[in-house]
Structures are given as C-alpha cells and as structure tokens.
Amino acid sequence: MNRPIVSALSVVVGFLSVVAAVAFAADDLGLPDLTRTYDAAVADFDGDGITDVALIRHQNRKLTSDGPDGIFMSSAPTFWFPQFQDRHGCGAGDFDGDGDPDLYCTKGAGKGSKSKANELWINQGDGTFNDEAASRGVVDPHGRGRFVEVGDFDGDANLDIYVTNKPRTDGEVSRNTLFLNDGTATFMRSPWKTEGAGCPNLFTTPSEHRLLMTCGDELHLYEIGDNDRIEEWIPDPLGSIKTASVTTNGVWIVAANDDIVVGYKWNGNAYVEMWRHDPAHNVKEVSVNGNRAYVLTVGEGCTNLRLPPKSSRDVILGVETADASVLNQNFHGCADHAIPFRSGWLILNGDGKTRGPLELIEISP
C-alpha cells in the first residue's frame, strides 16, 4: 500500500513549475505525515537506485509519541535507531569505501553538562547498520553536537566529517571539530579550527575543500590544506546574516537575514554582491539545489505543540538571476529545514518540539 508523506504541495507560477501531486507514491518510504523533526539526511541507503531518508526528530524522554528516529528505505524495512538519545544533525556518506552510504549523527550533551557519544552507523549492506563511532574515533564525548557536513576536506579522496558544537554550560571545551578519514574509516581529529566554538548552524557544500558557515551575524568561508586555514570574509551589508548556502561549484553563495536575500558571485578574487531580493518576512533558511535556491520562511506566532498557519510564503529563486516564484501555500507547522532532495527539497516543519508536516517540493523538468 502506498502511503503518502506529503500533506500539501504548492503550485508555483513564474519561471518554473512544481510537481503538484503526492510524492513518494512509487517508492513508499512509509514516512509519517505529521511529526516532530530536527534534521534529515538523504541517500540511497539500500542500493536500489531510489533516494531514501534518515529522519531525525530530536527525541528525548519527554517526547515519545512520534516514535524513534530511523532510516526509511524503499526496498528494506525501516531501520530504527535507539530511542531517547538527544540526536541532532546527521550526514550521510560512504565513509568505509564499500559502495553503500553510512550515517554519522551528533548528539547533545544534556543541555551542555554531560558527556555523550555521537554515532557512526556503518551500513552492513542488508538494511541494517552498526554504530562503530567508538572504534573509529568519532565519539566526541564533550561536544554539544548540532549539525554535520560530510565531504573530502583534505583532498585525499576519503570522506571526512565536520561537526558543529554549541557551547557547554559547565566550562568544558565544545568546539567545532573536523574528523579526517585515513582511508579505512578511522578518523583523526584535525588541529584545524574555526572561530567561534558554538556556530550551531552550518550551511555548506564543500567545493575545492572549502567550508561555508554562518557564525554569529557574519559569513565565514574556510579553506583547508596541510592543516592551515585560510579565512575569507564576505561583505555583510545586511547587518545580520542568519543563513547561507552555496552552489556545488562554489561560484554562488546565497545568504539572508530575516527579510532580505542576497546573491554573491565569486569573481576570481572575492565574493561580490550581484543581486538582492525581498521575499516576505521571517526567513528561516536558504537552501541551494542546482541553480535554484529555496527560501524557507517561518509562520507568525509559531509556538511549541501548536499548528499555526504559515503567514509567510516560501520563495524559489534562480541563483544566477534572482527570478522568483512565490509558493501559494497552505502549509502548517514551524519551518525547520529545507533539505535538497532529488530535483527539489524535502521540507521539515517540526523544529524539534512541534509536530508539522513533511512536504516535498519538486521542480518539473
């Protein structure tokens, strides 16, 4: 039986069109219609050629009704993670080089006062996963984990793991950390550091071993090589940048504050502002997929355990042109993340504590 996971989809008018139909009917991942969410990682975990979803709900002992986090696959039963683990961001990649994607997940640290163990779920190729974080050196016991970026940061053709950590409340060190893969899925902590131990929000696609992230109210672009760090400051005329995303080739960066979105283009020496767009209000995140950027907004009055209507409309922009299409939405819930997925985005609306719908926006060819 096909079980739809999308409660609403929007028709876009303008320079592009959106698939106006229930999604996932062909592969039936069995994802819930309405749930709490924190993050998601997408990959073909079961190797059948269809993209699957690892759904993270930030479950703790006070939030039990939605069930555990899990990897929802099209040709294998859902793999459920242990419950009550304060799990946050996850990133997928073939860390051990055996041809199937694995999954790394961060955990919080009891509001910054306890030790914990991040997870490295190694794909066994049969729909099951083993947590091998301890034996592979990526536990990070004192890091107050938030988000993950996976990529080859040192140019050795092995996937590395970058973890953002929020500051602790007990004085223990909780820095952002880069774990370098030695080629056998055993990791060493790199001495390379970013400024700002917290920086809990990470919006990046590594390109030529670069890392783009928001830190406070500024954009930082880092490049790693031989344990050295090159930091390039991007002009911030907006005054308070809260989110940014970059094209896979590193040419364009799309950034935003609460109300304005800006496109920066690399001119060979620096990133230069090329356009601005004022989509509405309450921008939560921008997310680039291909040559388009999704501008995710959050509804007015969004509070925990409620389902307020979205009073701000999301926008899809052309990265190079800023041509805009406004989504005529009837979505409910608190905007959380826009995850690049296939030709569009998987939209999370749970914000860790509030139930909201999972939504799919797909761009027609």
Side-chain angles (χ1 to χ4, degrees):
M1 177 180 177
N2 289 332
R3 181 183 180 189
I5 70 162
V6 181
S7 59
L9 284 173
S10 299
V11 178
V12 174
V13 295
F15 77 104
L16 53 86
S17 62
V18 171
V19 175
V22 174
F24 293 104
D27 37 316
D28 187 20
L29 297 182
L31 282 157
D33 297 317
L34 193 68
T35 183
R36 296 175 176 91
T37 53
Y38 191 95
D39 195 16
V42 297
D44 181 11
F45 291 104
D46 54 9
D48 66 351
I50 298 174
T51 305
D52 308 310
V53 177
L55 181 65
I56 309 303
R57 312 187 219 217
H58 189 207
Q59 185 194 58
N60 58 40
R61 293 189 182 276
K62 296 180 180 179
L63 304 175
T64 61
S65 60
D66 286 330
D69 301 336
I71 300 178
F72 295 80
M73 295 172 282
S74 55
S75 65
T78 298
F79 178 81
W80 299 108
F81 296 130
Q83 298 191 60
F84 315 127
Q85 297 294 309
D86 194 19
R87 201 171 284 107
H88 289 94
C90 294
D94 183 11
F95 300 115
D96 57 2
D98 65 353
D100 48 32
D102 312 300
L103 189 73
Y104 182 80
C105 295
T106 67
K107 293 182 185 177
K111 296 185 178 179
S113 61
K114 300 177 181 179
S115 61
K116 50 79 190 182
N118 289 349
E119 302 164 328
L120 178 57
W121 294 99
I122 298 298
N123 195 332
Q124 303 301 296
D126 59 0
T128 65
F129 298 76
N130 291 339
D131 180 12
E132 301 180 12
S135 63
R136 297 182 184 271
V138 288
V139 168
D140 198 19
H142 298 295
R144 193 177 177 186
R146 286 303 182 264
F147 290 99
V148 177
E149 185 63 29
V150 173
D152 177 16
F153 287 92
D154 55 1
D156 64 356
N158 301 307
L159 289 181
D160 309 307
I161 300 171
Y162 184 81
V163 179
T164 60
N165 288 311
K166 192 174 181 178
R168 294 176 61 93
T169 58
D170 60 2
E172 290 281 353
V173 175
S174 176
R175 293 193 181 96
N176 300 334
T177 300
L178 175 62
F179 293 103
L180 295 175
N181 190 341
D182 70 357
T184 67
T186 300
F187 294 81
M188 297 292 294
R189 187 185 296 263
S190 169
W192 180 78
K193 297 182 178 68
T194 59
E195 297 297 331
C199 293
N201 297 312
L202 177 66
F203 305 92
T204 169
T205 304
S207 178
E208 299 179 356
H209 318 308
R210 290 180 175 179
L211 177 70
L212 172 72
M213 59 189 302
T214 53
C215 184
D217 292 337
E218 297 172 333
L219 280 179
H220 295 257
L221 184 68
Y222 298 97
E223 184 172 355
I224 182 171
D226 299 326
N227 296 328
D228 293 326
R229 187 192 74 204
I230 300 174
E231 181 176 329
E232 298 169 346
W233 293 86
I234 299 173
D236 183 7
L238 298 180
S240 180
I241 288 178
K242 64 187 298 185
T243 173
S245 188
V246 61
T247 56
T248 54
N249 61 8
V251 174
W252 285 89
I253 291 173
V254 181
N257 61 13
D258 285 334
D259 304 306
I260 300 173
V261 184
V262 174
Y264 298 101
K265 185 178 182 181
W266 180 253
N267 68 2
N269 297 299
Y271 283 95
V272 178
E273 180 179 335
M274 301 299 292
W275 53 260
R276 287 193 178 196
H277 180 79
D278 183 355
H281 299 287
N282 307 316
V283 174
K284 176 68 179 290
E285 181 176 285
V286 294
S287 176
V288 170
N289 188 3
N291 62 353
R292 299 184 179 101
Y294 194 95
V295 182
L296 183 67
T297 60
V298 63
E300 294 279 4
C302 188
T303 58
N304 291 345
L305 304 180
R306 296 183 182 274
L307 290 175
K310 286 200 69 172
S311 58
S312 298
R313 292 183 176 181
D314 296 352
V315 177
I316 298 177
L317 298 174
V319 170
E320 298 183 9
T321 62
D323 292 339
S325 292
V326 179
L327 277 70
N328 182 20
Q329 294 169 280
N330 295 310
F331 298 161
H332 289 68
C334 297
D336 194 352
H337 285 305
I339 310 294
F341 187 83
R342 299 176 182 171
S343 65
W345 296 266
L346 177 66
I347 310 299
L348 311 183
N349 283 294
D351 84 344
K353 296 181 180 180
T354 303
R355 289 185 182 91
L358 291 171
E359 299 154 354
L360 178 67
I361 302 296
E362 284 198 294
I363 307 301
S364 296

